[in-house]
Amino acid sequence: MRDIHLLLIEDHRPDAILVQELLREDFARRYRLTHAESLAAAEKHLATGRFDVVLVDLGLPDAIGREAFDRVKALAPHLPLVIHSGLADEELAIELVGQGAQDYLVKGEGDSRLLCRTIRYSIERRQALDTIREKEEQYHLLFSAETDGILICDRDSGRIQEINPAGLELYGLSRNDLGVLKFSELQAQDQPPPLSGEESGLWAGGENLQYQRRRDGTLFPAAVSCGNFQLRNQSLQGVIVRDMTELVNAQRLKEEMLQAISHEMRTPLTALLGYTEMLLDNPLPEQELATHLWTMHGECLRLAELVENQLELVSFLSGKVELERQAIEAYQVCHAALLKFSPGSRTHRIQIDCSENLPHFRGDFRLLRMAVENLLSNALKYSPADSRIDLAVQANSSHTTFCVTDRGEGIPAEICDQIFNAFFRLRHWDSRTLGGTTLGLPLVKAIALAHGGSAWVEPAAPRGSRFCLAIPCSDP
Ligand code: ADP
């Protein structure tokens, strides 16, 4: 067994010798004693030596009583302290033990056995305490770092006793609310639909998915799990709250998307069915047949665009798109995008203004072509037949910018931002009559952002709108 290294802080030499003698009588352990006659001397020893325990007299030349205790504690915060005092002051003893002294021995009272046992136990106790503190720190770290809200509530009163930082933020609470606010006050009174049906199955943990109320009255969907426990004579309830806003939004988006897509697919499919049935029943002269075939081709394009946009957008939403960057020449993107609108089906005059000498930039050719195609497709849909559409590209030292300008009705300034959101339609009849997916602009924006660029719309003079896509020259 290792020797116990003890620092004795004692200014009275005979007392120090007596302690040494008493320690020598312990046959179970050996003690290595370092003697300091003042706090100043103790400080030097503590700075250089490794000790297991400090035995301190409270009447020292450089400090006495509580002050002596406080100063030794500050010098050796991690060591067990045993007071060895000439004063049989019960009150002081209780106070100092309350403040962290391991024990309080009165000089002359007790023998070697008492002294040695006190020293040994003080070391054991301190080690046990350190272990508990370490565990407590671990739990506290876990509690503080957890990203879900954790609340501890009194079951009888329902009041919140403790809450972690994530919980405070989630509900917009402050620590002043603790002990006052009831957990039931954070529950939404009327659960808005639809959290009971399919969405409640989102959270596989079996917890309740329900709306919670923030301090400011706003609601958010959350997965809530509760567990009851008893701490001494208090009945407590532990609650873990996970914010499900993102998941619920994603689920809603998925449902809206499915709904919109099934709806949008029906229009071209119905047209295609009608035309094919008509052509099967009535053989037509060649000229008329060609016209119908062009119409059917247009509907097929519409279906293809829908599927392509949807697949691409879903990949973006699920973070599955990895850009295949290559050196790109802007005019090649423009010409590739234009190929989609075969001259025979064009109802507008499309003008390209893009020099072949613009500097190369890096990007994903396929995605950029798709973005420009979408902008052109919208310009064709939402501006009068025979009007002019411009596809212009400009480059400066930081960005290459593609702009598509039409002479249509334009976009009111107040909704210029919203128009890039999925399922946003300016006019209800737009997509119904013109065949749209409402996924085109969100895809354009997703492509711009994936390149570290941006997409926006601005009014064009004298009428119409200009949709722009700016791609940085260098990789983000
Ligand atoms: P869609 O497939 O319905 O065209 P988009 O996401 O491309 O979907 O466009 C969303 C909505 O924005 C359209 O339904 C239309 O109301 C409006 N919009 C898009 N482009 C234009 C434009 N060039 N002029 C006027 N409105 C437009």
Side-chain angles (χ1 to χ4, degrees):
M1 221 181 290
R2 208 167 62 78
D3 292 354
I4 293 177
H5 197 170
L6 180 142
L7 176 65
L8 174 65
I9 313 177
E10 171 63 77
D11 65 332
H12 194 224
R13 202 168 278 257
D15 284 348
I17 293 169
L18 184 64
V19 168
Q20 193 153 22
E21 290 306 317
L22 291 173
L23 294 178
R24 216 170 267 149
E25 287 175 28
D26 186 355
F27 296 112
R29 290 300 285 269
R30 273 188 24 185
Y31 297 83
R32 276 200 294 137
L33 189 140
T34 302
H35 178 207
E37 293 192 351
S38 65
L39 275 180
E43 188 172 358
K44 281 190 192 140
H45 287 300
L46 283 166
T48 50
R50 281 194 54 210
F51 297 95
D52 300 304
V53 57
V54 178
L55 189 64
V56 58
D57 177 20
L58 293 183
L60 297 168
D62 34 8
I64 51 170
R66 262 182 217 95
E67 192 203 337
F69 170 77
D70 288 342
R71 286 180 55 187
V72 179
K73 210 173 124 197
L75 286 175
H78 304 297
L79 290 180
L81 297 186
V82 177
I83 314 287
H84 194 227
S85 171
L87 278 178
D89 184 339
E90 189 71 18
E91 240 175 70
L92 181 66
I94 290 171
E95 188 190 322
L96 296 185
V97 168
Q99 287 176 16
Q102 288 295 333
D103 220 323
Y104 190 105
L105 294 174
V106 179
K107 289 179 188 172
E109 282 183 9
D111 51 6
S112 158
R113 272 183 55 204
L114 178 68
L115 177 70
C116 297
R117 204 175 55 199
T118 304
I119 288 171
R120 284 204 309 267
Y121 285 7
S122 75
I123 296 171
E124 298 294 333
R125 264 203 307 274
R126 179 66 203 221
Q127 274 166 2
L129 200 71
D130 285 348
T131 310
I132 292 170
R133 281 211 184 119
E134 202 177 302
K135 286 266 171 284
E136 198 186 310
E137 260 171 48
Q138 279 175 5
Y139 286 121
H140 188 74
L141 270 178
L142 198 71
F143 185 72
S144 310
E146 176 56 55
T147 49
D148 288 343
I150 304 177
L151 297 89
I152 298 171
C153 310
D154 180 86
R155 273 178 70 198
D156 297 327
S157 67
R159 293 188 207 289
I160 302 165
Q161 307 273 300
E162 193 48 83
I163 183 165
N164 69 340
L168 287 174
E169 202 186 316
L170 199 56
Y171 287 102
L173 302 179
S174 79
R175 293 200 67 80
N176 294 339
D177 293 311
L178 299 188
V180 184
L181 196 71
K182 292 182 176 173
F183 182 55
S184 57
E185 293 174 64
L186 298 177
Q187 312 296 300
Q189 296 307 312
D190 306 310
Q191 289 292 320
L195 274 186
S196 47
E198 202 185 322
E199 283 168 353
S200 57
L202 282 170
W203 183 234
E207 293 82 352
N208 271 336
L209 192 58
Q210 49 188 245
Y211 274 95
Q212 301 288 293
R213 179 189 296 278
R214 295 190 187 87
R215 198 71 163 121
D216 63 8
T218 54
L219 305 183
F220 66 94
V224 180
S225 60
C226 303
N228 296 332
F229 57 96
Q230 194 78 17
L231 192 65
R232 292 186 206 97
N233 54 0
Q234 205 184 4
S235 297
L236 296 171
Q237 183 175 49
V239 186
I240 298 181
V241 183
R242 173 166 295 183
D243 187 354
M244 301 295 275
T245 310
E246 271 185 28
L247 216 58
V248 167
N249 284 348
Q251 175 77 2
R252 282 213 181 110
L253 188 69
K254 198 173 94 187
E255 278 167 15
E256 281 177 11
M257 220 164 176
L258 272 175
Q259 224 172 29
I261 282 156
S262 338
H263 188 94
E264 299 305 336
M265 282 182 117
R266 211 181 294 148
T267 318
L269 272 177
T270 311
L272 278 171
L273 270 174
Y275 274 104
T276 44
E277 279 166 13
M278 181 188 77
L279 291 178
L280 284 169
D281 292 346
N282 313 293
L284 293 174
E286 207 168 303
Q287 185 66 32
E288 222 176 305
L289 182 67
T291 317
H292 289 314
L293 284 178
W294 272 121
T295 313
M296 288 166 72
H297 180 68
E299 296 301 336
C300 288
L301 283 180
R302 203 163 139 179
L303 269 176
E305 184 187 349
L306 179 75
V307 172
E308 199 177 7
N309 280 355
Q310 191 232 343
L311 286 178
E312 208 64 52
L313 197 61
V314 166
S315 308
F316 269 106
L317 289 177
S318 55
K320 283 192 192 135
V321 173
E322 279 209 18
L323 297 191
E324 286 174 25
R325 287 180 194 274
Q326 62 184 88
I328 289 182
E329 291 182 87
Y331 79 92
Q332 287 184 337
V333 176
C334 296
H335 287 288
L338 208 61
L339 281 180
K340 185 168 174 186
F341 310 96
S342 57
S345 69
R346 268 186 226 162
T347 47
H348 296 63
R349 287 171 287 131
I350 304 178
Q351 304 259 321
I352 297 187
D353 174 12
C354 177
S355 157
E356 293 193 6
N357 300 323
L358 290 180
H360 292 188
F361 65 98
R362 285 184 63 76
D364 187 312
F365 188 88
R366 186 183 66 85
L367 292 176
L368 290 173
R369 189 201 65 212
M370 192 180 277
V372 175
E373 274 173 10
N374 266 297
L375 296 182
L376 282 173
S377 157
N378 280 351
L380 287 159
K381 274 189 292 187
Y382 303 114
S383 66
D386 283 335
S387 63
R388 194 174 124 180
I389 292 169
D390 289 296
L391 168 58
V393 185
Q394 289 192 333
N396 59 22
S397 57
S398 66
H399 288 84
T400 299
T401 307
F402 297 80
C403 288
V404 176
T405 310
D406 63 54
R407 274 81 186 160
E409 271 188 47
I411 314 282
E414 64 276 13
I415 53 153
C416 280
D417 287 338
Q418 294 174 52
I419 204 151
F420 287 91
N421 294 342
F423 310 113
F424 186 85
R425 244 177 224 138
L426 192 53
R427 294 158 292 261
H428 281 298
W429 47 264
D430 272 356
S431 295
R432 297 284 167 276
T433 49
L434 301 166
T437 61
T438 67
L439 301 177
L441 290 179
L443 184 60
V444 171
K445 188 174 170 186
I447 292 172
L449 293 180
H451 281 82
S454 55
W456 70 92
V457 57
E458 57 197 27
R463 70 188 307 252
S465 43
R466 180 175 299 113
F467 281 87
C468 299
L469 169 74
I471 305 297
C473 298
S474 50
D475 292 355

